[in-house]
Amino acid sequence: MEHEYCLVIIDFQVSGMDGQEMLHIMRATKHTPILVLTDPLPSDDKAELLRAGANAIIEKPLDLNMCLAQADTLIQLNTDGYNDCQMLTFGTECVIDSTHRQVIVDGEQLTLTRKEFDLLLCLARRPGQVLSRSQLYSQVWSDDLGIGGENAVKVHIGNLRKKLADMGKNYIQTSWGIGYKFVPPEEEKSI
């Protein structure tokens, strides 16, 4: 959990932990694609694994070519061929293009300052994961949280939230006493 990966492959027979529980934990903290290797399962069990957070399932005995092709596809979909994902899409509602530094919400471009964009991108790359002001400052400003650092994050988050609110969106939410998280459009509507 301390490192970023472009793909996680899990063999539940080897893991020794309840598969669905592990998937829930991983999905709650990471946006990394997960390929699950299993013994043959009924379709209901496969559906539960997908709902729990798996992106793909391959049953044993493994066809190595299919396994490699599926892994390559998941990596490419997640990273667009690069180490860092260049474009994040959340349904048809929100697109964050890090290459061109653009955010499109409901078909309209959202105008952001450099730091507002960097904060949104940092949070959106980890949907649902709460990041503290210190973590955000470290990642966006590439510095340790110094004097005024927490306030800088707070001010920029406030400005970002206002711009999103003007478009009727509430993607950035506060976890009181902890930090902020990005709530994807599908989840934001149900809150």
Side-chain angles (χ1 to χ4, degrees), residues 79-189:
T79 63
D80 196 25
Y82 299 94
N83 288 336
D84 283 328
C85 188
Q86 301 299 305
M87 189 167 308
L88 300 173
T89 57
F90 300 95
T92 57
E93 185 176 312
C94 179
V95 177
I96 303 170
D97 181 350
S98 64
T99 302
H100 299 101
R101 299 186 64 80
Q102 293 180 337
V103 178
I104 308 296
V105 177
D106 290 336
E108 292 183 41
Q109 185 167 340
L110 179 63
T111 304
L112 300 175
T113 66
R114 179 176 171 229
K115 292 300 182 193
E116 290 165 356
F117 179 87
D118 291 343
L119 282 166
L120 179 62
L121 182 63
C122 183
L123 288 164
R125 281 186 169 156
R126 299 162 188 83
Q129 182 179 346
V130 178
L131 297 174
S132 69
R133 288 181 188 163
S134 177
Q135 289 172 309
L136 289 168
Y137 190 82
S138 174
Q139 292 180 34
V140 172
W141 277 263
S142 299
D143 195 9
D144 290 332
L145 190 64
I147 298 173
E150 276 201 26
N151 193 44
V153 172
K154 185 177 177 181
V155 167
H156 283 87
I157 288 285
N159 293 338
L160 175 58
R161 284 175 133 168
K162 182 179 181 332
K163 289 179 181 181
L164 287 167
D166 289 346
M167 298 184 89
K169 306 302 176 190
N170 185 28
Y171 301 150
I172 309 298
Q173 296 182 4
T174 301
S175 290
W176 295 105
I178 303 170
Y180 305 98
K181 66 180 175 180
F182 179 85
V183 178
E186 323 70 73
E187 296 174 31
E188 178 235 351
K189 290 175 187 166

Side-chain angles (χ1 to χ4, degrees), residues 9-14 35-40 56-71:
I9 300 175
I10 300 172
D11 183 342
F12 283 136
Q13 195 172 35
V14 175
L35 174 60
V36 175
L37 309 178
T38 70
D39 291 323
I57 300 168
I58 297 181
E59 292 184 341
K60 299 173 189 173
L62 297 177
D63 175 346
L64 188 56
N65 285 333
M66 282 301 295
C67 189
L68 289 172
Q70 186 67 57

Side-chain angles (χ1 to χ4, degrees), residues 66-77:
M66 282 301 295
C67 189
L68 289 172
Q70 186 67 57
D72 286 342
T73 299
L74 288 170
I75 291 169
Q76 189 173 32
L77 285 172

